[in-house]
Amino acid sequence: MRLSEFALTTLKEVPAEAEIVSHKLMLRAGLIRRLSSGLFTWMPLGLRVLRKVEAVVREEMNRAGALELLMPAVQPSELWVESGRWDQYGPLLLRMHDRNDREYCFGPTHEEVITDVARRELRSYKQLPVNYYQIQTKFRDEIRPRFGVMRSREFIMKDAYSFDIDQEGLQKSYDRMHDAYTRIFERLGLKFRVVDADSGEIGGSRSQEFHVLADSGEDAIAYCDADHYASNVETAATSRPDGERAAATAEREKFPTPGVKTIQDLCDLLGVTAEQTVKTLVVDGTDGPVALVIRGDHELNAVKAQKLDGVASPLTMADTGTIIKALGAEPGSLGPVGMTLPVYFDHAVAALSDFTCGANETGFHYKGVNFGRDLDEPQTVDLRNAVAGDPTPGGKGTLSIARGIEVGHIFQLGSKYSEAMKATVQAPDGSNAVMEMGCYGIGITRIVGAAIEQNHDDNGIVWPGPLAPFDVVLVPINMHRSEAVCEAAEALYAELSEAGLEVLLDDRDARPGVKFADAELIGIPHRVVIGERSLAKGELEYRHRRDSESRDLKREEVLELLKV
Ligand code: ATP
Ligand code: MG
């Protein structure tokens, strides 16, 4: 490709709307352009990268025996009513009407459609296992679209759905996808981890996520290499601390704490640390509000809490009016002493003695509170997010926390959809058997952003080879004034292209500094500079995007290096 014919527009300025590096660089390098909130155009340069991702995903899916099909993006509501999700899915679902006033949605995912396909197509266990996949556009009306293509509203997903006669078959299909995903992310040259995850909206039992590791990741991952353990913090289990609780040494005392709203305010005022305090949160329940008590420095885990008996799902904080009516105190002054609501204590709270908490009287807190004396011994549950230093569930080590970007997700759905939608096949004994399903997603567009989060420097993107829009960029110096340079550049361009490399020839009539800056910004792995002075010595100037210096090499050496 000749850059003079590529209409590339790069930006020097960092666009104001972009918060994270990948979003900034994708806009600056001209990979994407924003149309409207959460909607992006993939420009020619970006599309080349996207197609590379798709190609690797497609190859590995085919290799794993999955069958590509393409389902409609627009889906009739009837299928969603059948599965029960028309009412459940909420505002993420973009709903619409046609001219006959029939209801549709723009597919955020395709379980319903594929289950409909399978129940029509598949008749006998002899046809199983089957794994159908597609690479297609989804729409989710995200509450906070951000970070460019990382959390957009319209995005491209590879989604696959497996159908098996029994759980054993499903496990095999799932394992195959696990291995295919591992190969995909290895081939793309990304650092990633596979983590245990919550099955969330889609339901079912077993589920794992593939996360690209990056500091800007929205998800926290708890892991322990010694224990071969990795889990999304949403689901990482915490346990009751071992050992005896320290004996009570203090008397319970009440202190005025006017204006205290947060644990930090409380610590500053009373001279205690957050670990010595507990916070009491009131949430909506199925039968009136419920109190949840966790240590002051810990975070409530919504996924865990909303699974508790009597707690409403999705987890919703009770409003101030409800709290005052139930407890006679404002949210900043609540505590478990004399609690009249049903209450759950987190495991870690059970280890505390002489702790500080709200007095259920606005503007007052207690210090020196102890279980068995000021309140009953607690029944504890797992209510909080795991933190670094927590023991692993296997018990062999302690957890570390890393941040990750979810790029893939595999689930064992079981019979959730096949049962609701009556997707059955004839079993070996002649009976009708409900098929066991798995579903497997990859965020194709998100991968591009995630790859940049992991691979960039101050000057721009540093593409892993398999994702680069071009393999090599040729930068002739004064091409339009030097015949020798022009000839050498054209000859090299022809030879490298002929050898199957994707070559970008920067034949623009621009200053070398501009060309170098653009080549770095768009992140092409190999750069070859063709200048009169080095040509005279029979040399070219070579630099890999990851190198800090360029090297003068013979033409043959350059060809060898590029494996021509
Ligand atoms: P998230 O937790 O990030 O909202 P999800 O768990 O809802 O994602 P899945 O239903 O598991 O998403 O979808 C499969 C894959 O699609 C995800 O692993 C992710 O890579 C991608 N994906 C999901 N939502 C978006 C989005 N809004 N923008 C871009 N990619 C997305
Ligand atoms: Mg997911």
Side-chain angles (χ1 to χ4, degrees):
M1 178 63 64
R2 291 169 191 276
L3 201 39
S4 64
E5 295 166 5
F6 199 68
L8 177 71
T9 311
T10 55
L11 311 173
K12 272 218 183 64
E13 301 301 317
V14 176
E17 83 240 37
E19 293 167 64
I20 58 170
V21 102
S22 59
H23 189 191
K24 290 177 187 166
L25 287 175
M26 287 184 84
L27 290 169
R28 284 191 53 212
L31 302 182
I32 54 168
R33 292 289 176 242
R34 180 180 182 274
L35 173 65
S36 143
S37 170
L39 302 178
F40 294 90
T41 296
W42 285 82
M43 298 302 286
L45 191 68
L47 190 62
R48 291 180 76 98
V49 180
L50 197 64
R51 293 286 184 246
K52 302 247 159 139
V53 177
E54 278 179 10
V56 170
V57 170
R58 186 173 272 121
E59 266 178 46
E60 293 300 335
M61 291 304 290
N62 292 345
R63 189 207 297 268
L67 306 171
E68 185 167 6
L69 47 53
L70 187 57
M71 292 178 265
V74 175
Q75 309 180 7
S77 64
E78 288 84 1
L79 290 181
W80 286 71
V81 171
E82 246 189 281
S83 72
R85 285 208 290 189
W86 188 251
D87 293 328
Q88 263 172 28
Y89 214 88
L92 222 54
L93 194 63
L94 177 64
R95 297 159 207 256
M96 51 207 167
H97 290 95
D98 70 6
R99 64 174 77 209
N100 298 315
D101 222 24
R102 289 185 56 181
E103 282 187 302
Y104 294 83
C105 66
F106 195 109
T109 176
H110 276 72
E111 282 79 14
E112 281 79 2
V113 180
I114 199 71
T115 308
D116 184 60
V117 169
R119 70 180 168 186
R120 292 167 192 274
E121 290 306 303
L122 304 173
R123 298 278 150 76
S124 159
Y125 73 95
K126 290 182 193 153
Q127 291 171 288
L128 305 184
V130 172
N131 188 343
Y132 292 118
Y133 80 97
Q134 64 175 349
I135 295 178
Q136 201 231 26
T137 299
K138 305 279 191 250
F139 190 95
R140 294 183 183 179
D141 201 354
E142 298 278 355
I143 188 164
R144 260 192 89 194
R146 57 182 185 156
F147 303 158
V149 297
M150 209 93 94
R151 183 167 298 284
S152 48
R153 296 199 296 167
E154 189 178 298
F155 59 97
I156 298 174
M157 197 200 286
K158 185 287 299 171
D159 45 331
Y161 306 88
S162 66
F163 294 86
D164 279 276
I165 188 70
D166 54 19
Q167 169 62 33
E168 198 187 330
L170 167 56
Q171 185 65 46
K172 278 197 194 126
S173 297
Y174 181 90
D175 291 343
R176 264 186 131 171
M177 282 297 105
H178 177 281
D179 296 349
Y181 275 39
T182 303
R183 274 200 303 275
I184 288 169
F185 295 113
E186 277 170 1
R187 275 186 63 184
L188 292 175
L190 300 172
K191 289 190 269 309
F192 68 98
R193 258 177 209 279
V194 190
V195 307
D196 293 335
D198 185 58
S199 318
E201 292 269 344
I202 297 196
S205 46
R206 185 86 211 274
S207 138
Q208 286 168 302
E209 291 168 355
F210 287 70
H211 282 259
V212 164
L213 300 178
D215 291 341
S216 62
E218 283 186 314
D219 288 286
I221 299 165
Y223 69 94
C224 172
D225 292 331
D227 228 353
H228 299 291
Y229 175 82
S231 175
N232 197 310
V233 161
E234 280 187 351
T235 42
T238 68
S239 50
R240 196 164 168 138
D242 294 334
E244 289 280 296
R245 175 166 66 216
T249 61
E251 288 306 311
R252 172 157 61 108
E253 282 183 84
K254 188 151 90 177
F255 289 86
T257 50
V260 163
K261 290 252 158 22
T262 64
I263 290 289
Q264 192 56 51
D265 296 345
L266 183 65
C267 292
D268 293 346
L269 186 71
L270 296 185
V272 292
T273 62
E275 292 89 328
Q276 297 170 296
T277 69
V278 304
K279 53 187 170 195
T280 303
L281 305 158
V282 179
V283 298
D284 289 345
T286 47
D287 197 18
V290 177
L292 307 175
V293 182
I294 58 176
R295 216 168 73 183
D297 58 322
H298 286 154
E299 268 176 36
L300 180 68
N301 179 307
V303 171
K304 294 175 182 177
Q306 70 199 13
K307 287 186 182 148
L308 296 171
D309 268 354
V311 171
S313 175
L315 193 76
T316 319
M317 291 295 154
D319 57 52
T320 307
T322 308
I323 293 173
I324 292 175
K325 195 161 152 233
L327 296 171
E330 285 181 16
S333 302
L334 306 180
V337 179
M339 174 55 68
T340 50
L341 296 176
V343 57
Y344 284 105
F345 290 89
D346 179 65
H347 291 314
V349 175
L352 298 177
S353 45
D354 298 338
F355 63 86
T356 299
C357 63
N360 293 325
E361 188 180 334
T362 299
F364 287 92
H365 281 76
Y366 291 127
K367 267 172 97 169
V369 178
N370 283 281
F371 288 112
R373 186 188 74 189
D374 304 305
L375 69 173
D376 289 342
E377 283 298 334
Q379 291 291 327
T380 63
V381 293
D382 183 5
L383 264 184
R384 66 176 174 97
N385 286 339
V387 293
D390 277 342
T392 56
K396 292 203 201 77
T398 54
L399 295 179
S400 303
I401 306 284
R403 300 212 69 87
I405 301 166
E406 182 194 322
V407 287
H409 200 166
I410 57 178
F411 299 91
Q412 294 191 15
L413 292 170
S415 58
K416 181 175 156 85
Y417 295 92
S418 41
E419 199 160 307
M421 296 180 64
K422 302 190 182 58
T424 59
V425 290
Q426 194 177 52
D429 65 4
S431 66
N432 267 345
V434 174
M435 289 184 277
E436 293 290 321
M437 290 173 60
C439 81
Y440 317 95
I442 288 186
I444 301 281
T445 38
R446 184 181 282 184
I447 284 177
V448 179
I452 297 173
E453 284 300 318
Q454 214 175 60
N455 298 280
H456 65 268
D457 63 15
D458 290 346
N459 299 327
I461 302 167
V462 185
W463 289 114
L467 286 176
F470 294 94
D471 302 312
V472 47
V473 53
L474 304 181
V475 186
I477 308 292
N478 287 329
M479 184 183 188
H480 300 269
R481 280 169 285 284
S482 162
E483 213 164 290
V485 168
C486 184
E487 253 173 46
E490 290 289 352
L492 196 58
Y493 178 52
E495 187 168 351
L496 294 176
S497 306
E498 186 65 21
L501 289 175
E502 292 177 290
V503 190
L504 185 63
L505 172 63
D506 193 348
D507 58 346
R508 294 175 300 177
D509 189 7
R511 284 183 295 110
V514 171
K515 296 187 178 190
F516 292 154
D518 277 349
E520 295 209 309
L521 176 61
I522 66 177
I524 310 303
H526 305 280
R527 185 188 81 184
V528 180
V529 179
I530 303 139
E532 232 165 14
R533 216 171 315 145
S534 30
L535 272 185
K537 290 186 282 176
E539 285 174 345
L540 299 164
E541 194 187 302
Y542 169 83
R543 183 169 155 191
H544 191 274
R545 181 67 181 79
R546 291 193 189 278
D547 296 342
S548 50
E549 308 267 322
S550 44
R551 294 179 275 161
D552 288 331
L553 298 177
K554 297 279 176 223
R555 192 175 192 274
E556 299 72 54
E557 290 174 312
V558 170
L559 295 181
E560 178 142 328
L561 207 135
L562 296 173
K563 298 202 172 60
V564 176

